[in-house]
Amino acid sequence: MKKQIKLFAGCIVLIIVAYAYAHIAKTVSIYDKGIDPSQYGSTGIIIDQAVSQSFVVEENAIDSVRIKTSVVGNVNDISLSYEIKNSETGEICAQGEAEAEKVKNGKFFELKFPKVENVKGKKMEITIRAEGANAENGVSFAFERKVENNTEYKVNGQEQEATLILKTVNHRFDFETFSVFIGFAVYIYVFMRFLYKLFQ
């Protein structure tokens, strides 16, 4: 009876741990991941410009984007303001702001906003502005030198032959991760029981 109680308690703990572990940031890249990063272009410092990128959402919801960003000079007094809207209706769905001093040079930087639901298959557009930038101090974004399907990259409303190095993000429960974690834990348990009996 005690063994059954311990086994049941162990299963409950395993499920709780697996459930917590399976809450992940699900990312979808809108750019071609097969392109060598050395081939990326750069927007240069964004000064008095609005950089926009549209894309079709593959997840049911999104709550941030990650964009490959670089810094130039001192960015302590520079901030990034951004908004995401439905390209089909023009409705602004969410807005946000981030401090440029938190950007790690050459890394993906996450622009967070309130979760936008029920957008799978819809075309959305994020527009980014840099407040306080000048010719010596600011941020730039990386792009690939071609237009991916169902995307548009614009600078001040003018379409460009490029696609930002950008990923959409949805923080959510992932059943596949949950199942793999449970399966791996059960495998380890069975294997350890086998070894115990083998050398008992």
Side-chain angles (χ1 to χ4, degrees), residues 147 151-162:
V147 179
T151 70
E152 284 182 333
Y153 168 57
K154 299 176 182 178
V155 177
N156 284 342
Q158 299 298 312
E159 192 171 344
Q160 310 289 318
E161 290 291 321

Side-chain angles (χ1 to χ4, degrees), residues 48-75:
D48 300 324
Q49 293 178 323
V51 173
S52 302
Q53 177 68 61
S54 65
F55 49 87
V56 174
V57 182
E58 294 187 18
E59 286 281 301
N60 191 52
I62 54 174
D63 51 31
S64 61
V65 300
R66 292 176 183 170
I67 184 169
K68 198 171 184 65
T69 310
S70 296
V71 296
V72 179
N74 187 340
V75 295

Side-chain angles (χ1 to χ4, degrees), residues 27-127:
T27 62
V28 178
S29 301
I30 71 164
Y31 63 96
D32 184 354
K33 294 190 293 184
I35 295 177
D36 191 315
S38 65
Q39 301 300 312
Y40 292 163
S42 173
T43 61
I45 297 177
I46 302 300
I47 308 172
D48 300 324
Q49 293 178 323
V51 173
S52 302
Q53 177 68 61
S54 65
F55 49 87
V56 174
V57 182
E58 294 187 18
E59 286 281 301
N60 191 52
I62 54 174
D63 51 31
S64 61
V65 300
R66 292 176 183 170
I67 184 169
K68 198 171 184 65
T69 310
S70 296
V71 296
V72 179
N74 187 340
V75 295
N76 288 343
D77 298 322
I78 298 172
S79 63
L80 299 175
S81 61
Y82 47 93
E83 63 182 33
I84 186 163
K85 70 178 182 179
N86 186 315
S87 296
E88 299 164 3
T89 66
E91 176 191 2
I92 296 176
C93 301
Q95 296 175 310
E97 191 170 302
E99 297 174 358
E101 63 182 12
K102 294 181 179 179
V103 173
K104 293 184 179 179
N105 200 37
K107 303 292 184 181
F108 280 93
F109 184 63
E110 189 161 346
L111 303 176
K112 301 178 182 179
F113 45 81
K115 187 179 285 286
V116 182
E117 304 273 5
N118 302 315
V119 289
K120 186 173 183 178
K122 294 182 180 180
K123 194 168 188 178
M124 308 294 287
E125 180 181 77
I126 187 163
T127 299

Side-chain angles (χ1 to χ4, degrees), residues 122-141:
K122 294 182 180 180
K123 194 168 188 178
M124 308 294 287
E125 180 181 77
I126 187 163
T127 299
I128 310 168
R129 296 175 176 84
E131 310 293 341
N134 55 51
E136 288 77 35
N137 307 289
V139 298
S140 64
F141 305 116

